[in-house]
Amino acid sequence: MGFKEEIKRRRTFGIISHPDAGKTTLTEKLLLFGGAIHVAGAVKSNKIKKTATSDFMEIERQRGISVATSVMGFEYKGHKVNILDTPGHQDFAEDTYRTLTACDSVIIVIDVAKGVEEQTRKLMKVCRMRKTPVIVFINKMDRLGKDAFDLLDEIEQELELSVNPLSWPINMGPDFKGVYNIYNRNLSLFTPATQTVEESIDFDDLSNPKLEEYIGEDAEVLREELDLVSGVYPEFDVQDYLDAKIAPVFFGSALNNFGVRELLDVFIKIAPSPLPCQTVERQIQPEEDKFSGFVFKIHANMDPNHRDRIAFVKIVSGTFKRNTPYLHVRNGKKLKFSSPTAFMAEKKSIVEEAFPGDIIGLHDTGNFKIGDTLTEGEKINFKGIPSFSPELFKYIENADPMKSKQLAKGIDQLMDEGVAQLFTSQFNGRKVIGTVGALQFEVIEYRLLHEYSASCRWEPIHLHKACWIKTEDEEQLKEFKKAKYQYMAKDKHGRDVFLADSGYMLQMAQSNYPNLEFHLHQNFKSDRIWL
Ligand code: G4P
């Protein structure tokens, strides 16, 4: 198969949802269709969310699985489908944001009873920013939930997303009869089952009285509702979906394996193959001959005897080849990889080559940071790997004076993985760790001990926000740093960070020093604080 065909047949996407909407179940059913797994219940990595916050041992135990399930590739009807796993637990949300940068499209799962929930809203914001094409799957139709029209309105309003139903439910809960597929014009009748695949019946002419034979008195309601649907929603235009202007919607029940196959069939037809990617310097087309890719995730090795890690690289252009020297743009060094890993189903295997859209795992001994670019020589830097804004802060102290080197190294490497962010106070030299979730502190403590034999202790610090400062006015910056020296810190890259202990303090700083910009993100791209 030619290079261009390889690109065209790839579909790299993520499934996102609020915890419990059914992401794991849907992933599992998609993998069953792809022949990637053979029994339901094989994908359990997301069950992490169900463990108590303090139960980190359990998380660690499951991390072994989640490395393998970080990417789940399978072949389906001539397409190479790559599902990128996104952690369900909200404390790991920034991991999900980063993974979204490697997705060419997204499926959002919504629970029919709960509608749009907090996490969905947040994740959709990232998709909107990145103009990622989105398909919505409304799940749990076997349970009583919201009226379909109301729910679609809610999605439009809450997610700021125009929708277009491509299937329509026939009743719900105990009376759920199935869906009418508007896109393929056929009828799928619901029978609760967990492993079987539903048959669909071609049904072009809805006025045909045979409809009553299948679904009884719901036939008339279906006709009326579909009339309304065609009045309210314009005809589906694939380009609008690809331009992220409209999101097709499907209804089904992942648990009952209902509506999943039709979702997958339409998905491979309409979802985008690998898209061009923007670098600071220029746009990169997947069809370009020369290889380029970026690191979107770094995962520590499970084996405590080996401190190496796996860097997950999304291939953007060209063909990646094993044992070929590639330029690590940030370091300016050439690196060769003798055992790049591809992820097919539950298995990892060494690959000779990989194509745009693929994700490969590279063994890393500490060279990589999230967002790093690899190329054949061109000095480009991929854009848009989000850094997160820390919300919780604690001082980290060495609890074992004999192991201070190990502690420093451990902290350094964990920060490169993007687990949290480190600030060094310019006032007292103490180290402050900032995270987005409470769980990260436990993760750090546990991993420092088990991977670096270092012990740490946490001490409270009262902080509101960490703000990176941007300005052209060096004089004012100098003045500010002098006045606020107690609150100034350096981040890992030596940049100035203002650790504000209250919203009021931040507000005062902003109004007293109008030439300074305060940013919640280190890359200054978003979330400028306007007061
Ligand atoms: P998540 O990854 O989005 O967090 O959700 P997950 O798939 O784990 O599903 C959450 C719960 O919802 C699970 O039940 C799952 O069985 C159930 N579920 C998923 N799809 C459907 C559906 O179509 N209909 C119904 N009725 N339930 C569905 P659980 O009891 O929390 O977990 P488990 O013990 O069954 O694994």
Side-chain angles (χ1 to χ4, degrees):
M1 195 178 299
F3 174 57
K4 287 207 169 122
E5 284 74 49
E6 286 289 1
I7 299 175
K8 263 179 87 179
R9 74 187 198 95
R10 274 163 169 75
R11 301 284 181 273
T12 302
F13 74 109
I15 304 179
I16 56 177
S17 75
H18 190 86
D20 272 350
K23 176 164 66 77
T24 314
T25 314
L26 179 65
T27 306
E28 201 163 80
K29 295 297 147 84
L30 292 173
L31 293 178
L32 279 170
F33 281 118
I37 55 169
H38 300 287
V39 282
V43 184
K44 283 286 178 196
S45 65
N46 289 306
K47 297 294 170 195
I48 284 171
K49 66 180 188 286
K50 291 186 179 151
T51 60
T53 315
S54 59
D55 194 5
F56 182 62
M57 285 300 285
E58 178 61 9
I59 295 172
E60 191 63 10
R61 196 182 62 72
Q62 297 199 10
R63 266 160 45 91
I65 304 162
S66 68
V67 173
T69 55
S70 290
V71 185
M72 291 157 282
F74 62 88
E75 295 278 339
Y76 183 75
K77 296 191 174 169
H79 291 272
K80 167 89 189 291
V81 180
N82 293 317
I83 306 182
L84 305 193
D85 188 33
T86 54
H89 199 296
Q90 59 165 7
D91 282 8
F92 294 114
E94 86 280 357
D95 200 0
T96 300
Y97 296 158
R98 291 188 200 118
T99 300
L100 287 177
T101 62
C103 294
D104 295 310
S105 70
V106 149
I107 294 180
I108 294 183
V109 184
I110 289 177
D111 182 328
V112 67
K114 296 197 179 133
V116 175
E117 295 174 89
E118 190 51 32
Q119 198 73 352
T120 330
R121 218 172 278 129
K122 283 190 189 159
L123 294 169
M124 186 55 218
K125 213 171 135 190
V126 181
C127 295
R128 226 177 12 248
M129 248 167 55
R130 301 181 47 80
K131 294 202 166 48
T132 310
V134 163
I135 292 179
V136 177
F137 182 73
I138 297 179
N139 191 29
K140 307 197 185 179
M141 291 306 296
D142 58 316
R143 287 199 185 157
L144 283 176
K146 300 188 179 189
D147 167 77
F149 284 107
D150 291 347
L151 190 51
L152 293 183
D153 281 351
E154 183 180 322
I155 294 170
E156 293 213 307
Q157 280 169 20
E158 300 258 333
L159 298 182
E160 295 171 44
L161 182 71
S162 298
V163 296
N164 197 323
L166 293 192
S167 80
W168 196 255
I170 305 161
N171 231 319
M172 67 169 79
D175 298 323
F176 183 50
K177 300 254 170 62
V179 293
Y180 181 71
N181 188 322
I182 302 170
Y183 189 69
N184 289 329
R185 301 198 74 77
N186 60 35
L187 192 64
S188 297
L189 298 178
F190 176 68
T191 39
T194 46
Q195 299 278 341
T196 55
V197 177
E198 80 272 14
E199 290 298 322
S200 44
I201 307 154
D202 286 340
F203 216 100
D204 204 13
D205 176 15
L206 284 164
S207 61
N208 188 334
K210 249 187 128 128
L211 192 60
E212 264 79 2
E213 282 177 33
Y214 289 119
I215 57 173
E217 54 196 30
D218 284 318
E220 204 38 48
V221 182
L222 177 67
R223 287 186 192 108
E224 279 168 20
E225 290 189 340
L226 286 175
D227 258 358
L228 214 57
V229 166
S230 59
V232 175
Y233 301 101
E235 192 145 337
F236 176 63
D237 181 341
V238 181
Q239 198 53 45
D240 284 344
Y241 155 67
L242 293 171
D243 295 340
K245 289 186 186 143
I246 208 139
V249 180
F250 291 86
F251 294 83
S253 166
L255 185 66
N256 292 289
N257 211 357
F258 186 80
V260 178
R261 189 187 52 178
E262 61 171 2
L263 171 72
L264 184 58
D265 283 343
V266 176
F267 172 80
I268 54 165
K269 234 189 254 174
I270 66 170
S273 51
L275 300 169
C277 231
Q278 195 61 42
T279 65
V280 177
E281 295 76 13
R282 65 183 187 90
Q283 196 176 57
I284 309 293
Q285 302 296 329
E287 297 80 16
E288 291 182 23
D289 294 344
K290 294 214 156 75
F291 159 75
S292 68
F294 63 89
V295 177
F296 66 95
K297 179 175 176 140
I298 295 176
H299 211 302
N301 200 323
M302 272 302 285
D303 181 351
N305 299 319
H306 294 97
R307 256 192 228 142
D308 55 346
R309 311 177 290 186
I310 299 177
F312 288 82
V313 174
K314 161 95 184 271
I315 297 174
V316 177
S317 65
T319 308
F320 172 92
K321 294 201 170 90
R322 187 164 93 95
N323 275 329
T324 306
Y326 290 121
L327 177 69
H328 181 297
V329 175
R330 185 174 51 80
N331 279 348
K333 276 199 274 181
K334 289 246 173 171
L335 300 174
K336 248 202 260 188
F337 304 95
S338 59
S339 51
T341 315
F343 305 87
M344 283 299 278
E346 297 148 292
K347 290 192 237 52
K348 290 196 292 177
S349 58
I350 290 178
V351 279
E352 290 302 324
E353 54 179 24
F355 300 100
D358 283 340
I359 311 294
I360 47 167
L362 301 178
H363 264 278
D364 174 35
T365 47
N367 286 311
F368 287 119
K369 280 186 190 168
I370 306 258
D372 279 352
T373 302
L374 279 177
T375 68
E376 286 193 24
E378 190 177 350
K379 292 192 176 110
I380 47 172
N381 293 279
F382 283 100
K383 267 180 157 179
I385 305 278
S387 66
F388 59 97
S389 162
E391 300 195 344
L392 304 170
F393 302 88
K394 283 185 187 178
Y395 279 123
I396 185 164
E397 297 294 344
N398 188 3
D400 181 354
M402 303 295 286
K403 297 282 171 63
S404 55
K405 254 193 191 161
Q406 284 87 332
L407 184 74
K409 180 162 187 179
I411 294 177
D412 197 49
Q413 293 206 346
L414 293 182
M415 298 307 120
D416 284 350
E417 270 183 45
V419 176
Q421 290 187 40
L422 174 72
F423 307 100
T424 308
S425 165
Q426 296 302 284
F427 175 55
N428 55 19
R430 293 178 78 181
K431 288 184 162 46
V432 176
I433 300 281
T435 71
V436 288
L439 197 52
Q440 259 91 349
F441 292 111
E442 286 175 58
V443 172
I444 292 168
E445 190 174 335
Y446 182 91
R447 290 190 55 193
L448 284 172
L449 189 63
H450 288 82
E451 292 168 34
Y452 301 91
S453 310
S455 302
C456 76
R457 199 178 59 235
W458 301 106
E459 285 185 14
I461 175 171
H462 180 73
L463 279 184
H464 173 62
K465 289 273 180 233
C467 304
W468 280 262
I469 304 169
K470 191 179 173 193
T471 186
E472 306 268 288
D473 188 341
E474 288 301 322
E475 262 318 294
Q476 196 164 86
L477 179 62
K478 223 164 123 189
E479 209 181 295
F480 178 77
K481 280 161 73 173
K482 204 167 152 200
K484 302 284 177 199
Y485 70 101
Q486 279 173 295
Y487 302 97
M488 292 308 298
K490 295 270 186 202
D491 74 359
K492 203 169 171 277
H493 309 284
R495 288 176 299 201
D496 288 319
V497 180
F498 173 45
L499 300 177
D501 69 359
S502 68
Y504 175 72
M505 186 187 192
L506 195 53
Q507 206 167 3
M508 290 308 289
Q510 179 82 90
S511 58
N512 292 341
Y513 299 88
N515 292 349
L516 305 187
E517 281 178 24
F518 296 91
H519 291 263
L520 290 176
H521 289 264
Q522 53 174 298
N523 52 11
F524 306 123
K525 279 192 202 97
S526 54
D527 276 357
R528 174 168 177 188
I529 308 170
W530 297 103
L531 297 163

